[in-house]
Amino acid sequence: MFPAGRAALSLAARGIQHTAVRRAHRKHEPNFHDKYGNLVLVGGAAVFTTVWGYVLTQLGIEWGLSPVGRITPREWRE
């Protein structure tokens, strides 16, 4: 390996080691996701359920999933 490449790898490894040591000795401070993550998830699920509940029950969409009674046979041409 070239000396410049070896030096770059050792600097990168040293930087990662320093970052890991700093994080290990630091107290964990709750961030936004720790504080409000579950609340945001529950709120989103509630909005999703409410909106789709309205769409499926109140808008009067005619789903028409069954073709029975809609398809009429044509006369066979010989």
Side-chain angles (χ1 to χ4, degrees):
M1 184 179 278
F2 296 111
R6 192 176 316 132
L9 283 178
S10 69
L11 283 176
R14 192 176 309 137
I16 292 170
Q17 288 171 350
H18 284 298
T19 302
V21 167
R22 264 189 265 127
R23 288 188 180 172
H25 291 297
R26 187 175 65 174
K27 265 190 168 177
H28 177 70
E29 300 169 1
N31 59 12
F32 178 83
H33 299 289
D34 293 332
K35 289 181 182 177
Y36 307 110
N38 291 334
L39 186 64
V40 170
L41 180 66
V42 169
V47 169
F48 177 85
T49 304
T50 303
V51 168
W52 278 107
Y54 177 78
V55 167
L56 294 175
T57 59
Q58 299 299 317
L59 283 185
I61 297 173
E62 201 174 304
W63 294 99
L65 298 176
S66 174
V68 175
R70 292 180 181 216
I71 299 174
T72 57
R74 288 189 288 176
E75 294 295 324
W76 182 258
R77 288 184 277 161
E78 292 188 30

